[in-house]
Amino acid sequence: MIDIITGFYYFLRASRIENDGVIFRLHAMTTILILTFSVIISSKQVVGNPIDCVHTREIPVEAFNAYCWIHSTYFVTGAMLGANVAAPGVAPSLRNFHFDRPHHQENDSETSIQRETTRNVKYYQWVVFVLIFQAILFYTPRWLWKGWEGGKIHALMMDLDIGLCSEVEKKQKKKMLLDYLWENLRYHNWWAYRYYLCEVLALVNVIGQMFLMNRFFDGAFLTFGIDVLRFLESDQEDRVDPMIYVFPRMTKCTFYKYGVSGEVERHDAVCILPLNVVNEKIYVFLWFWFLFLGVLSLITVIYRIVIIFSPRTRVYLLRLRFRLVRREAVETIVRRSKVGDWFLLYMLGENLDTVIYRDVMHELANKLASRHHHSVPGIKGELQEA
């Protein structure tokens, strides 16, 4: 199992080229986490007993357990507290079941019990497959961007991230990079917007997965984390663990078979689901992790919108991240280019050697300024010395 998890890590690990953002890396890490959870659950299903039912010995144990695993179990939704409750959700038939309530409330209790229903527990068969499907969805936005990016950043780097090549080679590569930026200036918007689209898809994916899990668990997942926190703060005598409601550890199962007289015999059993102890911990973590990812993804989308409509913000971010580049050069480039060019230059700055990046930015700013018959102060002499 460790080898499989290690394989997931090396398959999804980030390369030395940074051509995506924090959101995509967190989503890739989420893919690794979810695949790890699926391996843990599937291994427990194969190695241990995912279900163990207590019943009459007239039926083989393996047959009864297999039947209840395939056809699902159930629990009584109202049998969570009371004197006649063996375990939360496990109780006698409704007509024989009574809450432990004061005498003046007995009639009301009996009436309400008759209206109580049972809830089938059948999702555990699909947990591993749903987790794998979720992992694929989490990796999809990053996979789309990798395809759309097309290796552009790696091609433009030309090993200038190390900066240990000869001066002649370094000068040639800087000239090639500058020529590309000059000739293709203002033509990178669609490339950048596809990256922003993938970030929006990442946000939609997180929100959609919350609702997917809510549907998978019959409407009990959206408030699952809040219910768990409330449970921890409530009185110990009156509280009902929401994790037991969503992931019951003991359930009931009914097996029908023909008796010796040809009549249908009904066999009730109490089934233990040890795997749900693992499932509940996994999904509590995923609830809070999805909430964190959703908030962070929403902030990122808002951040991108601000960048698109605010050139001043683009100037500030370039200056904040790359302090070797003069402010006048940054302002000139942002003013004479579009948001796609800014995004490409920011990505290049994350990967190139800082001194080489500074020289390229200054020369690009000077060429842009020369087009409009003036130079950027303090840059021309610096380039000549370099």
PDB file of all heavy atoms in Angstrom, residues 129-144:
ATOM      1  N   PHE A 129     -15.195   3.836  -5.101  1.00  0.00           N
ATOM      2  CA  PHE A 129     -15.387   4.313  -6.477  1.00  0.00           C
ATOM      3  C   PHE A 129     -15.679   5.817  -6.506  1.00  0.00           C
ATOM      4  O   PHE A 129     -15.193   6.528  -7.395  1.00  0.00           O
ATOM      5  CB  PHE A 129     -16.523   3.541  -7.140  1.00  0.00           C
ATOM      6  CG  PHE A 129     -16.312   2.053  -7.146  1.00  0.00           C
ATOM      7  CD1 PHE A 129     -16.985   1.237  -6.253  1.00  0.00           C
ATOM      8  CD2 PHE A 129     -15.425   1.468  -8.037  1.00  0.00           C
ATOM      9  CE1 PHE A 129     -16.802  -0.132  -6.258  1.00  0.00           C
ATOM     10  CE2 PHE A 129     -15.227   0.103  -8.051  1.00  0.00           C
ATOM     11  CZ  PHE A 129     -15.909  -0.701  -7.150  1.00  0.00           C
ATOM     12  N   VAL A 130     -16.455   6.285  -5.531  1.00  0.00           N
ATOM     13  CA  VAL A 130     -16.756   7.719  -5.477  1.00  0.00           C
ATOM     14  C   VAL A 130     -15.493   8.508  -5.152  1.00  0.00           C
ATOM     15  O   VAL A 130     -15.259   9.588  -5.719  1.00  0.00           O
ATOM     16  CB  VAL A 130     -17.866   7.990  -4.446  1.00  0.00           C
ATOM     17  CG1 VAL A 130     -18.031   9.488  -4.219  1.00  0.00           C
ATOM     18  CG2 VAL A 130     -19.187   7.396  -4.920  1.00  0.00           C
ATOM     19  N   LEU A 131     -14.661   7.993  -4.271  1.00  0.00           N
ATOM     20  CA  LEU A 131     -13.407   8.688  -3.945  1.00  0.00           C
ATOM     21  C   LEU A 131     -12.499   8.780  -5.168  1.00  0.00           C
ATOM     22  O   LEU A 131     -11.882   9.821  -5.415  1.00  0.00           O
ATOM     23  CB  LEU A 131     -12.691   7.963  -2.804  1.00  0.00           C
ATOM     24  CG  LEU A 131     -13.268   8.152  -1.401  1.00  0.00           C
ATOM     25  CD1 LEU A 131     -12.538   7.267  -0.399  1.00  0.00           C
ATOM     26  CD2 LEU A 131     -13.193   9.607  -0.963  1.00  0.00           C
ATOM     27  N   ILE A 132     -12.413   7.718  -5.939  1.00  0.00           N
ATOM     28  CA  ILE A 132     -11.596   7.760  -7.158  1.00  0.00           C
ATOM     29  C   ILE A 132     -12.168   8.766  -8.154  1.00  0.00           C
ATOM     30  O   ILE A 132     -11.426   9.530  -8.792  1.00  0.00           O
ATOM     31  CB  ILE A 132     -11.507   6.346  -7.783  1.00  0.00           C
ATOM     32  CG1 ILE A 132     -10.745   5.407  -6.855  1.00  0.00           C
ATOM     33  CG2 ILE A 132     -10.851   6.402  -9.155  1.00  0.00           C
ATOM     34  CD1 ILE A 132     -10.721   3.967  -7.320  1.00  0.00           C
ATOM     35  N   PHE A 133     -13.490   8.801  -8.276  1.00  0.00           N
ATOM     36  CA  PHE A 133     -14.126   9.774  -9.156  1.00  0.00           C
ATOM     37  C   PHE A 133     -13.850  11.200  -8.678  1.00  0.00           C
ATOM     38  O   PHE A 133     -13.576  12.103  -9.491  1.00  0.00           O
ATOM     39  CB  PHE A 133     -15.631   9.504  -9.191  1.00  0.00           C
ATOM     40  CG  PHE A 133     -16.412  10.481 -10.028  1.00  0.00           C
ATOM     41  CD1 PHE A 133     -16.218  10.565 -11.392  1.00  0.00           C
ATOM     42  CD2 PHE A 133     -17.341  11.327  -9.434  1.00  0.00           C
ATOM     43  CE1 PHE A 133     -16.932  11.467 -12.171  1.00  0.00           C
ATOM     44  CE2 PHE A 133     -18.055  12.234 -10.193  1.00  0.00           C
ATOM     45  CZ  PHE A 133     -17.854  12.303 -11.561  1.00  0.00           C
ATOM     46  N   GLN A 134     -13.889  11.409  -7.362  1.00  0.00           N
ATOM     47  CA  GLN A 134     -13.578  12.737  -6.820  1.00  0.00           C
ATOM     48  C   GLN A 134     -12.140  13.125  -7.105  1.00  0.00           C
ATOM     49  O   GLN A 134     -11.851  14.290  -7.432  1.00  0.00           O
ATOM     50  CB  GLN A 134     -13.825  12.747  -5.308  1.00  0.00           C
ATOM     51  CG  GLN A 134     -15.283  12.741  -4.905  1.00  0.00           C
ATOM     52  CD  GLN A 134     -15.440  12.818  -3.394  1.00  0.00           C
ATOM     53  OE1 GLN A 134     -15.454  11.803  -2.709  1.00  0.00           O
ATOM     54  NE2 GLN A 134     -15.545  14.015  -2.888  1.00  0.00           N
ATOM     55  N   ALA A 135     -11.222  12.178  -6.971  1.00  0.00           N
ATOM     56  CA  ALA A 135      -9.819  12.469  -7.254  1.00  0.00           C
ATOM     57  C   ALA A 135      -9.626  12.896  -8.704  1.00  0.00           C
ATOM     58  O   ALA A 135      -8.870  13.824  -8.999  1.00  0.00           O
ATOM     59  CB  ALA A 135      -8.964  11.237  -6.938  1.00  0.00           C
ATOM     60  N   ILE A 136     -10.324  12.226  -9.621  1.00  0.00           N
ATOM     61  CA  ILE A 136     -10.233  12.604 -11.041  1.00  0.00           C
ATOM     62  C   ILE A 136     -10.757  14.021 -11.252  1.00  0.00           C
ATOM     63  O   ILE A 136     -10.150  14.820 -11.984  1.00  0.00           O
ATOM     64  CB  ILE A 136     -11.014  11.594 -11.897  1.00  0.00           C
ATOM     65  CG1 ILE A 136     -10.349  10.218 -11.845  1.00  0.00           C
ATOM     66  CG2 ILE A 136     -11.123  12.072 -13.344  1.00  0.00           C
ATOM     67  CD1 ILE A 136     -11.138   9.117 -12.521  1.00  0.00           C
ATOM     68  N   LEU A 137     -11.880  14.355 -10.602  1.00  0.00           N
ATOM     69  CA  LEU A 137     -12.439  15.700 -10.751  1.00  0.00           C
ATOM     70  C   LEU A 137     -11.497  16.758 -10.202  1.00  0.00           C
ATOM     71  O   LEU A 137     -11.375  17.847 -10.775  1.00  0.00           O
ATOM     72  CB  LEU A 137     -13.779  15.775 -10.023  1.00  0.00           C
ATOM     73  CG  LEU A 137     -14.951  15.013 -10.655  1.00  0.00           C
ATOM     74  CD1 LEU A 137     -16.209  15.191  -9.811  1.00  0.00           C
ATOM     75  CD2 LEU A 137     -15.208  15.476 -12.084  1.00  0.00           C
ATOM     76  N   PHE A 138     -10.827  16.456  -9.102  1.00  0.00           N
ATOM     77  CA  PHE A 138      -9.910  17.437  -8.522  1.00  0.00           C
ATOM     78  C   PHE A 138      -8.695  17.674  -9.407  1.00  0.00           C
ATOM     79  O   PHE A 138      -8.137  18.772  -9.421  1.00  0.00           O
ATOM     80  CB  PHE A 138      -9.461  16.992  -7.128  1.00  0.00           C
ATOM     81  CG  PHE A 138     -10.303  17.550  -6.018  1.00  0.00           C
ATOM     82  CD1 PHE A 138     -11.216  16.758  -5.359  1.00  0.00           C
ATOM     83  CD2 PHE A 138     -10.191  18.876  -5.648  1.00  0.00           C
ATOM     84  CE1 PHE A 138     -12.006  17.264  -4.345  1.00  0.00           C
ATOM     85  CE2 PHE A 138     -10.973  19.404  -4.642  1.00  0.00           C
ATOM     86  CZ  PHE A 138     -11.885  18.606  -3.981  1.00  0.00           C
ATOM     87  N   TYR A 139      -8.275  16.663 -10.128  1.00  0.00           N
ATOM     88  CA  TYR A 139      -7.097  16.839 -10.976  1.00  0.00           C
ATOM     89  C   TYR A 139      -7.433  17.416 -12.348  1.00  0.00           C
ATOM     90  O   TYR A 139      -6.543  17.920 -13.046  1.00  0.00           O
ATOM     91  CB  TYR A 139      -6.374  15.500 -11.163  1.00  0.00           C
ATOM     92  CG  TYR A 139      -5.004  15.643 -11.758  1.00  0.00           C
ATOM     93  CD1 TYR A 139      -3.955  16.195 -11.024  1.00  0.00           C
ATOM     94  CD2 TYR A 139      -4.745  15.257 -13.077  1.00  0.00           C
ATOM     95  CE1 TYR A 139      -2.704  16.344 -11.578  1.00  0.00           C
ATOM     96  CE2 TYR A 139      -3.494  15.399 -13.639  1.00  0.00           C
ATOM     97  CZ  TYR A 139      -2.467  15.952 -12.879  1.00  0.00           C
ATOM     98  OH  TYR A 139      -1.221  16.105 -13.424  1.00  0.00           O
ATOM     99  N   THR A 140      -8.704  17.392 -12.725  1.00  0.00           N
ATOM    100  CA  THR A 140      -9.099  17.823 -14.070  1.00  0.00           C
ATOM    101  C   THR A 140      -8.706  19.262 -14.395  1.00  0.00           C
ATOM    102  O   THR A 140      -8.152  19.519 -15.483  1.00  0.00           O
ATOM    103  CB  THR A 140     -10.606  17.608 -14.273  1.00  0.00           C
ATOM    104  OG1 THR A 140     -10.907  16.210 -14.167  1.00  0.00           O
ATOM    105  CG2 THR A 140     -11.051  18.106 -15.639  1.00  0.00           C
ATOM    106  N   PRO A 141      -8.979  20.276 -13.523  1.00  0.00           N
ATOM    107  CA  PRO A 141      -8.571  21.645 -13.893  1.00  0.00           C
ATOM    108  C   PRO A 141      -7.068  21.775 -14.137  1.00  0.00           C
ATOM    109  O   PRO A 141      -6.647  22.443 -15.089  1.00  0.00           O
ATOM    110  CB  PRO A 141      -9.011  22.470 -12.672  1.00  0.00           C
ATOM    111  CG  PRO A 141     -10.113  21.684 -12.059  1.00  0.00           C
ATOM    112  CD  PRO A 141      -9.735  20.257 -12.258  1.00  0.00           C
ATOM    113  N   ARG A 142      -6.270  21.133 -13.297  1.00  0.00           N
ATOM    114  CA  ARG A 142      -4.813  21.195 -13.490  1.00  0.00           C
ATOM    115  C   ARG A 142      -4.412  20.474 -14.771  1.00  0.00           C
ATOM    116  O   ARG A 142      -3.520  20.928 -15.491  1.00  0.00           O
ATOM    117  CB  ARG A 142      -4.115  20.563 -12.289  1.00  0.00           C
ATOM    118  CG  ARG A 142      -2.606  20.800 -12.235  1.00  0.00           C
ATOM    119  CD  ARG A 142      -2.057  20.352 -10.893  1.00  0.00           C
ATOM    120  NE  ARG A 142      -0.682  20.777 -10.719  1.00  0.00           N
ATOM    121  CZ  ARG A 142       0.380  19.985 -10.863  1.00  0.00           C
ATOM    122  NH1 ARG A 142       0.204  18.713 -11.205  1.00  0.00           N
ATOM    123  NH2 ARG A 142       1.592  20.441 -10.658  1.00  0.00           N
ATOM    124  N   TRP A 143      -5.053  19.357 -15.080  1.00  0.00           N
ATOM    125  CA  TRP A 143      -4.759  18.621 -16.305  1.00  0.00           C
ATOM    126  C   TRP A 143      -5.112  19.458 -17.541  1.00  0.00           C
ATOM    127  O   TRP A 143      -4.356  19.484 -18.523  1.00  0.00           O
ATOM    128  CB  TRP A 143      -5.537  17.306 -16.301  1.00  0.00           C
ATOM    129  CG  TRP A 143      -5.415  16.527 -17.574  1.00  0.00           C
ATOM    130  CD1 TRP A 143      -4.350  15.765 -17.979  1.00  0.00           C
ATOM    131  CD2 TRP A 143      -6.388  16.452 -18.624  1.00  0.00           C
ATOM    132  NE1 TRP A 143      -4.605  15.213 -19.209  1.00  0.00           N
ATOM    133  CE2 TRP A 143      -5.848  15.614 -19.636  1.00  0.00           C
ATOM    134  CE3 TRP A 143      -7.657  16.995 -18.797  1.00  0.00           C
ATOM    135  CZ2 TRP A 143      -6.544  15.326 -20.796  1.00  0.00           C
ATOM    136  CZ3 TRP A 143      -8.346  16.699 -19.950  1.00  0.00           C
ATOM    137  CH2 TRP A 143      -7.794  15.876 -20.942  1.00  0.00           C
ATOM    138  N   LEU A 144      -6.239  20.157 -17.490  1.00  0.00           N
ATOM    139  CA  LEU A 144      -6.618  21.028 -18.598  1.00  0.00           C
ATOM    140  C   LEU A 144      -5.579  22.125 -18.809  1.00  0.00           C
ATOM    141  O   LEU A 144      -5.192  22.429 -19.943  1.00  0.00           O
ATOM    142  CB  LEU A 144      -7.995  21.648 -18.322  1.00  0.00           C
ATOM    143  CG  LEU A 144      -9.215  20.753 -18.533  1.00  0.00           C
ATOM    144  CD1 LEU A 144     -10.475  21.484 -18.076  1.00  0.00           C
ATOM    145  CD2 LEU A 144      -9.341  20.328 -19.984  1.00  0.00           C
TER     146      LEU A 144
END
